[in-house]
Amino acid sequence: MSVILKEKITGPAAWKGPDIAADPAWLYHFTPDDIAVLDAALATLKARGRAFPRFGAQDFPIAPLVPRLTAFADELENGRGFKLLRGLPVERYSDAEINAITYGIGLHLGQPVCQNPRGDLLGEVMNVGDIHDKNTRVYETNLYLPYHSDPSDVVGLMCVRKARQGGLSSLVSVAAIYNEILDKHRELLGLYYRPIHFAHLCEPQPSLSPIFSYHQGKLSCRYLRQYIELGADICKLPLSRVEIEALDVFDRVMADPALRLDMMLEPGDLQFANNYAVLHSRTEFEDHEDLALRRKMLRLWLKMPNARALAPEFPGRNGFPAPETAAA
């Protein structure tokens, strides 16, 4: 079992948004040479008669960028836990080409994994759902998306189009959340290490996992309150008053402006975040009536070659089984 960490976390992972908002270290601008490499890889892909999602890293050769991507992977795991790549000229590309570039970069960073039982390797995050339908996922609406972690080592978001107004992306450091709870709510700490039922709308049964896990010198987190409450309902195990208080405290701390980092993703931005070290969110937004102009993000889930070891009671998760595997 993982031990309970009782000292504050120091180092780059324990960042606070206001302290690093103006720091250029987490932002990388694609150079003209980078774009040329990506364009050449796209041309190679087409020459081989391949297209998303039926191609591998060898079909999208970007050798000059690989050392940089390797450094980004190290930053995601051992640094601040997030990176923003800016400046892909998405207006020059078709939707199919943007899909290929996003997926191709992902193939050289990690292994893309399925995002649902259908086997989708790129998720379209768009305002296309009915908010009155209980089966509609929040990311399919223009509503506020609470802070959460996705079930993969790393999540990537490619901005194709912005909303007419709003839709701010927000990140918060798990280590900074932990330090605040340790400092001001230490009496609740043990509850976050206790296995709790998480339910996912795409899964038949809830799974057990703590919110926090400390293993081999690294703190990891899994969180989405909606899934915790849904798990309690499905298992007919109502949350206790102290558990509800602990979740309320967690929610207040993670949304604190003194901790979080807000950013507007611009078209051509590609944001990566480590799901164990950073929680992500999005504000509500006002969208265009025309579906072709609506806010559009491409979501990529990656299994990383340099991912941390996880404690047995904190089960790792990298997407859903591929359909053919699930059917076998």
Side-chain angles (χ1 to χ4, degrees):
M1 300 290 285
S2 66
V3 298
I4 295 180
L5 178 63
K6 297 177 182 177
E7 289 106 28
K8 284 191 174 183
I9 300 170
T10 58
W15 54 266
K16 294 182 178 181
D19 294 339
I20 67 166
D23 187 342
W26 53 265
L27 178 61
Y28 176 78
H29 289 270
F30 284 113
T31 68
D33 286 345
D34 295 337
I35 304 302
V37 170
L38 293 170
D39 285 344
L42 197 59
T44 298
L45 186 70
K46 293 178 180 179
R48 294 181 179 180
R50 301 296 181 91
F52 168 78
R54 294 178 176 84
F55 70 91
Q58 71 280 2
D59 300 309
F60 195 82
I62 54 172
L65 301 185
V66 170
R68 189 167 291 122
L69 292 177
T70 300
F72 293 163
D74 183 68
E75 176 69 15
L76 291 172
E77 179 56 41
N78 301 307
R80 287 174 173 161
F82 73 97
K83 196 76 179 181
L84 181 64
L85 284 55
R86 170 158 287 172
L88 186 72
V90 288
E91 69 282 355
R92 282 175 31 190
Y93 304 113
S94 67
D95 285 350
E97 290 171 334
I98 296 171
N99 289 348
I101 292 172
T102 304
Y103 186 70
I105 291 173
L107 285 169
H108 288 277
L109 190 62
Q111 175 188 339
V113 296
C114 300
Q115 298 185 26
N116 51 44
R118 297 191 305 272
D120 292 342
L121 291 166
L122 276 180
E124 288 194 354
V125 181
M126 290 186 68
N127 175 26
V128 293
D130 180 359
I131 61 174
H132 303 294
D133 183 348
K134 66 179 182 180
N135 293 315
T136 296
R137 307 283 294 280
V138 178
Y139 74 82
E140 297 173 319
T141 73
N142 65 339
L143 301 176
Y144 166 68
L145 184 61
Y147 290 92
H148 64 284
S149 55
D150 286 356
S152 62
D153 293 334
V154 161
V155 56
L157 276 179
M158 167 66 81
C159 179
V160 181
R161 290 188 298 271
K162 294 168 59 176
R164 181 161 60 188
Q165 185 175 343
L168 203 64
S169 175
S170 187
L171 304 176
V172 63
S173 159
V174 165
I177 294 172
Y178 195 88
N179 287 345
E180 190 73 7
I181 292 174
L182 186 65
D183 186 42
K184 298 180 180 177
H185 306 279
R186 183 181 287 256
E187 74 283 359
L188 297 173
L189 201 58
L191 291 171
Y192 302 114
Y193 282 87
R194 181 173 175 266
I196 195 168
H197 289 96
F198 283 78
H200 191 285
L201 294 178
C202 292
E203 296 177 329
Q205 294 295 327
S207 58
L208 273 173
S209 172
I211 291 172
F212 283 136
S213 174
Y214 185 65
H215 185 64
Q216 295 187 9
K218 288 189 176 181
L219 179 74
S220 299
C221 179
R222 181 185 185 190
Y223 193 76
L224 178 52
R225 182 159 183 169
Q226 175 191 356
Y227 288 172
I228 294 172
E229 293 174 340
L230 183 59
D233 288 345
I234 292 174
C235 295
K236 301 188 186 306
L237 295 170
L239 295 171
S240 67
R241 287 183 1 186
V242 69
E243 287 173 324
I244 293 172
E245 179 185 354
L247 296 180
D248 287 345
V249 164
F250 197 99
D251 288 348
R252 286 198 301 271
V253 171
M254 72 181 179
D256 188 344
L259 298 189
R260 69 176 194 254
L261 176 66
D262 299 331
M263 65 183 76
M264 179 60 73
L265 296 184
E266 301 291 338
D269 282 359
L270 181 53
Q271 179 197 79
F272 289 105
N274 184 324
N275 278 307
Y276 306 122
V278 172
L279 302 181
H280 60 281
S281 173
R282 181 207 70 210
T283 63
E284 66 180 352
F285 58 90
E286 180 182 323
D287 222 338
H288 299 272
E289 291 297 326
D290 186 347
L291 189 63
L293 298 177
R294 286 189 179 182
R295 183 183 190 270
K296 180 180 179 181
M297 303 281 168
L298 297 177
R299 185 180 59 204
L300 181 68
W301 286 352
L302 296 174
K303 180 179 180 181
M304 299 297 288
N306 65 332
R308 66 192 59 193
L310 299 173
E313 77 277 10
F314 188 83
R317 177 75 187 279
N318 274 296
F320 292 80
E324 59 270 21
T325 302

